[in-house]
């Protein structure tokens, strides 16, 4: 048989004989849940660490035993927490129970967001690509720079006077 092809149909018949069928690109991850049907993940941001449990429900989010509207009073912080649900079109489908320690409110909100994104991908592995594309699975490693000796803060110097 000749190895020259003049049209696409010739290429299809030629390729069918020599090339094996393509294997799936990447195996789909497994669903990871505990005995209560919850998915667990840890989220981190600045000095804050959030432990997050996700289960199917009505969209109720409880942080340190309080409702999200009480714990995160600023609307921008609540918006940060709900970003993974907005991206995946899962608003109001999951209940969240989170415990957060360390850092300030902004860092805690970022930690809860990171934890929710991780737990969501463990509960529904098919959502991983959408959440990862938005960058929610990557831990934001920026932290406060330490103070140096001879400086007022990390980089700020004392006022200079020549005389």
């Amino acid at each position: 048989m000749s190895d020259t092809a003049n049209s696409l149909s010739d290429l299809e018949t030629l390729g069918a004989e020599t090339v094996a069928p393509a294997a799936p690109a990447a195996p789909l991850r497994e669903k990871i849940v505990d005995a209560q049907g919850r998915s667990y993940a840890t989220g981190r941001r600045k000095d804050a660490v959030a432990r997050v449990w996700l289960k199917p429900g009505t969209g109720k989010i409880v942080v340190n035993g309080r409702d999200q509207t009480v714990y995160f009073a600023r609307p921008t912080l609540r918006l940060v927490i709900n970003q993974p649900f907005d991206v995946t079109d899962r608003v109001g489908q999951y209940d969240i129970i989170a415990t957060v320690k360390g850092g300030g409110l902004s860092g805690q909100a970022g930690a809860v967001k990171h934890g929710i994104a991780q737990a969501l991908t463990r509960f529904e592995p098919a959502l991983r690509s959408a959440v990862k594309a938005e960058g929610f699975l990557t831990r934001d490693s920026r932290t406060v720079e330490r103070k140096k000796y001879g400086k007022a803060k990390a980089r700020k110097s004392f006022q200079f006077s020549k005389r």
Side-chain angles (χ1 to χ4, degrees):
M1 178 176 154
S2 121
D3 286 341
T4 59
N6 296 329
S7 68
L8 288 175
S9 60
D10 293 344
L11 280 176
E12 289 175 4
T13 57
L14 183 68
E17 297 168 359
T18 58
V19 178
L28 191 64
R29 295 169 185 259
E30 292 184 15
K31 181 177 178 179
I32 303 170
V33 292
D34 61 4
Q36 287 85 23
R38 302 175 303 181
S39 176
Y40 171 80
T42 304
R44 291 187 174 87
R45 170 80 171 97
K46 294 187 176 180
D47 281 340
V49 179
R51 300 184 303 159
V52 177
W53 289 268
L54 176 134
K55 63 180 179 180
T58 59
K60 184 178 174 188
I61 298 177
V62 178
V63 181
N64 287 352
R66 291 185 272 175
D67 190 48
Q68 69 164 342
T69 56
V70 176
Y71 195 83
F72 295 113
R74 280 187 271 161
T76 54
L77 297 178
R78 290 195 300 271
L79 189 104
V80 165
I81 288 175
N82 290 313
Q83 280 178 336
F85 297 123
D86 294 335
V87 167
T88 57
D89 295 328
R90 298 291 191 270
V91 177
Q93 294 185 16
Y94 292 104
D95 288 343
I96 301 293
I97 299 169
T99 58
V100 194
K101 291 183 181 178
L105 285 178
S106 176
Q108 287 183 352
V112 171
K113 176 181 87 168
H114 185 228
I116 288 173
Q118 295 272 10
L120 197 58
T121 58
R122 291 189 177 138
F123 197 85
E124 283 190 65
L127 299 177
R128 182 174 170 85
S129 59
V131 176
K132 189 173 175 67
E134 291 294 322
F136 296 154
L137 296 181
T138 306
R139 189 232 194 269
D140 191 352
S141 61
R142 295 176 295 169
T143 57
V144 178
E145 190 175 349
R146 79 169 189 86
K147 182 193 176 302
K148 279 71 167 195
Y149 60 88
K151 298 275 188 179
K153 293 173 29 177
R155 297 187 180 196
K156 182 180 179 184
S157 298
F158 296 111
Q159 184 174 355
F160 175 75
S161 173
K162 192 168 185 179
R163 296 177 205 265

